[in-house]
Amino acid sequence: MTTERTLGLIKPDGLERGKQGQILDVILKKGFKIVAMKQLRLTKAQAEGFYAEHSARPFFASLCEYMTSGPIIALALEKENAIADWRTLMGATNPEKADPGTIRKEFAVDLEKNTVHGSDSSQSAHREVPYFFSALER
Ligand code: IDP
Ligand code: MG
């Protein structure tokens, strides 16, 4: 296994309900290094660009509206096998189907407001980490 970096987001519902401290604690306890972190609020154009792969999906407009509804926390996470391990720790997209002990099972509101994002592949991680962090920040 090799050391990888992946993008994590704590989405607006997580900050809205004050869950960011507990989520960061879980991330650190699971052995991820937080190599970059910032809180920001996405513009509509930035949300649409980030989720461009979903632009034809029926939930796209609602997703982008939700993602701009409040601040988020962006994280560059590093560890061995970080991409797959962060997806595992997040849990299934639909929190009703997420395994016990996952962040989405514990914290998510519903299928849309599912509290966290994670890159789904090496290719996505290479696009998404620089979407949020400049070379000087990571
Ligand atoms: P992922 O976040 O687990 O990778 P994706 O399929 O990439 O899931 O979807 C991106 C985000 O879009 C989800 O995390 C969720 O917030 C939202 N989403 C996905 N599917 C639906 C849906 O069927 N209805 C509403 N929102 C959805
Ligand atoms: Mg995805």
Side-chain angles (χ1 to χ4, degrees):
M1 269 190 265
T2 53
T3 301
E4 296 174 337
R5 286 186 179 189
T6 191
L7 182 81
L9 298 177
I10 305 177
K11 296 180 175 184
D13 69 276
L15 276 70
E16 161 85 26
R17 291 173 298 125
K19 303 299 186 191
Q20 62 272 54
Q22 289 174 73
I23 292 168
L24 290 170
D25 195 47
V26 171
I27 289 170
L28 292 170
K29 283 184 172 141
K30 289 287 183 181
F32 291 88
K33 223 156 78 176
I34 299 174
V35 295
M37 170 162 69
K38 65 176 144 191
Q39 182 166 322
L40 69 143
R41 186 166 178 168
L42 288 171
T43 65
K44 186 164 179 266
Q46 288 167 340
E48 288 171 351
F50 182 69
Y51 280 120
E53 64 172 315
H54 295 311
S55 60
R57 308 286 288 278
F59 59 81
F60 181 69
S62 175
L63 172 63
C64 293
E65 190 173 331
Y66 152 60
M67 287 299 291
T68 58
S69 66
I72 63 172
I73 290 174
L75 304 160
L77 301 175
E78 183 179 278
K79 84 190 247 324
E80 278 201 358
N81 208 35
I83 298 166
D85 285 1
W86 173 230
R87 293 289 302 191
T88 301
L89 180 57
M90 284 168 42
T93 306
N94 185 345
E96 285 177 13
K97 295 182 182 152
D99 288 334
T102 62
I103 291 172
R104 282 169 166 170
K105 181 70 176 185
E106 185 123 341
F107 296 105
V109 177
D110 57 34
L111 173 57
E112 179 177 78
K113 296 176 178 56
N114 59 6
T115 315
V116 280
H117 167 86
S119 307
D120 64 7
S121 65
S122 173
Q123 193 188 339
S124 298
H126 280 97
R127 181 181 86 87
E128 293 178 359
V129 172
Y131 197 86
F132 282 91
F133 297 104
S134 75
L136 289 175
E137 294 172 313
R138 54 189 154 92

